[in-house]
Amino acid sequence: MTDIAIVDYGMGNLRSVSKALEHVAPGASITVTEDPEVVRRAGRVVVPGQGAMPDCLRELEMRGLREAVMNAAMSKPFLGICIGLQMLFDSSEEGNVEGLGIVPGTVRRFFPTARPAASETGVTNGQRLKVPHMGWNEVHQSANHPLWKGIPGNARFYFVHSYYVENANPSQAAAFSHYPSPFTCAVAKDNIFAVQFHPEKSHNAGLALLRNFVQWEPA
């Protein structure tokens, strides 16, 4: 059995994710694969990604990976990164496409003009937002979870995205960040943990999260 399968659907930082996992789990069998059967047999599954949601879903279908990814998300430790988070939701404003429908909610685009925000953000109505949101942001944990073990509650992680998830079930939000208003940047549901940021690019905090994932045994 493959310990960890990293799903290759033609998008994402596959090498960076693989190298980061090899660093935190040197004894694990880690495979980058586009073979649905390998994904099915794996003990743990990681779905990274960068790019557009319509392209992501199309490639999953074309490579026969959609069913294997959905089965993994419902049956084994599953980590989604960036688009790997967004694809889990019901729908996305990016291309007005349907997602996998595993986590209830919608993927929204950042407003090109900021809404009025709290005074501590230093943002006033009419201030322009840079889209995509790119760079280091504090991640505020909003729920206890094994993947946060040893990670400070306001640790900084690296983001690159133009869209964010809007949860229909707020109890599944595991963390939030600000740009400039709060947005969900991590969700937890049963055996699923998925993040908008890139742990493979987030130095010590990111490596800690990946190490926790390798050791995680969902109830």
Side-chain angles (χ1 to χ4, degrees):
M1 174 184 289
T2 300
D3 288 333
I4 305 171
I6 302 170
V7 179
D8 177 6
Y9 55 99
M11 304 169 66
N13 298 307
L14 301 172
R15 179 174 173 79
S16 296
V17 174
S18 178
K19 289 297 183 184
L21 284 167
E22 289 171 8
H23 179 76
V24 300
S29 172
I30 299 167
T31 302
V32 177
T33 182
E34 59 179 325
D35 185 340
E37 188 56 35
V38 174
V39 176
R40 290 189 192 95
R41 293 197 308 264
R44 299 171 189 272
V45 171
V46 179
V47 180
Q50 280 184 297
M53 179 82 108
D55 296 338
C56 158
L57 295 169
R58 183 182 65 249
E59 290 297 324
L60 283 179
E61 291 282 2
M62 289 179 59
R63 296 166 190 245
L65 285 163
R66 182 186 178 109
E67 183 180 353
V69 167
M70 291 190 68
N71 288 341
M74 293 184 285
S75 64
K76 61 188 69 178
F78 180 100
L79 177 63
I81 299 173
C82 197
I83 291 290
L85 162 69
Q86 295 179 10
M87 70 166 64
L88 298 174
F89 280 70
D90 292 323
S91 63
S92 175
E93 291 182 346
E94 187 175 20
N96 294 317
V97 295
E98 292 185 2
L100 300 181
I102 296 169
V103 178
T106 303
V107 181
R108 306 281 188 195
R109 191 176 195 276
F110 279 116
F111 289 98
T113 302
R115 291 174 168 177
S119 58
E120 65 266 25
T121 66
V123 175
T124 58
N125 192 24
Q127 179 174 338
R128 301 293 294 181
L129 287 179
K130 292 182 179 179
V131 179
H133 167 220
M134 183 181 300
W136 293 85
N137 259 35
E138 287 188 353
V139 168
H140 305 279
Q141 300 166 24
S142 51
N144 291 326
H145 194 279
L147 266 68
W148 293 135
K149 180 181 178 182
I151 300 174
N154 60 348
R156 293 169 66 85
F157 289 84
Y158 189 78
F159 290 80
V160 182
H161 61 128
S162 300
Y163 293 78
Y164 65 96
V165 297
E166 182 179 85
N167 294 64
N169 185 349
S171 69
Q172 294 175 349
F176 67 94
S177 190
H178 290 87
Y179 194 62
S181 301
F183 68 92
T184 297
C185 65
V187 300
K189 178 186 178 184
D190 303 326
N191 56 291
I192 295 170
F193 196 87
V195 297
Q196 184 61 68
F197 51 83
H198 288 269
E200 76 279 8
K201 295 182 177 181
S202 298
H203 301 327
N204 291 339
L207 291 175
L209 189 146
L210 293 174
R211 185 178 298 109
N212 291 338
F213 171 71
V214 170
Q215 299 171 352
W216 180 33
E217 296 295 342

